[in-house]
Amino acid sequence: MELKVNKDKCIGCGMCVSTLEEVFDFDDDGQAKVIQNPIKEENEETASELAGDNGCPTGAIEEV
C-alpha cells in the first residue's frame, strides 16, 4: 500500500502525524507528508483508516 497527501486538501491539523508518526510528518509548509512508502505491514490498518472516510477530516490522505 502506498499513500500520498493531497496538498490542496491538507489543512495541517496533525491528526495523521499524531496517530501514525512512523508514516506521516510535517513538511516545511506545515502540511502533512508521507515519510514511509510503501507503508509497512504493521502500519497498514491504521494508515488505511486515516485514508478512509473516518480518518483525515478533509480527505487529504489518498491511496496511490
Side-chain angles (χ1 to χ4, degrees):
M1 155 189 254
E2 291 196 25
L3 297 176
K4 70 174 186 172
V5 175
N6 182 327
K7 300 297 183 175
D8 292 331
K9 293 181 178 181
C10 180
I11 59 171
C13 74
M15 175 188 247
C16 58
V17 176
S18 64
T19 302
L20 205 53
E21 62 186 19
E22 304 88 2
V23 176
F24 299 97
D25 200 356
F26 291 109
D27 65 15
D28 293 337
D29 294 326
Q31 291 184 308
K33 67 178 179 178
V34 179
I35 57 171
Q36 182 186 101
N37 258 334
I39 307 302
K40 292 182 182 176
E41 187 175 333
E42 63 265 19
N43 296 324
E44 279 188 358
E45 184 176 345
T46 304
S48 183
E49 290 171 5
L50 287 170
D53 292 337
N54 296 320
C56 175
T58 62
I61 301 170
E62 302 171 351
E63 205 168 331
V64 178

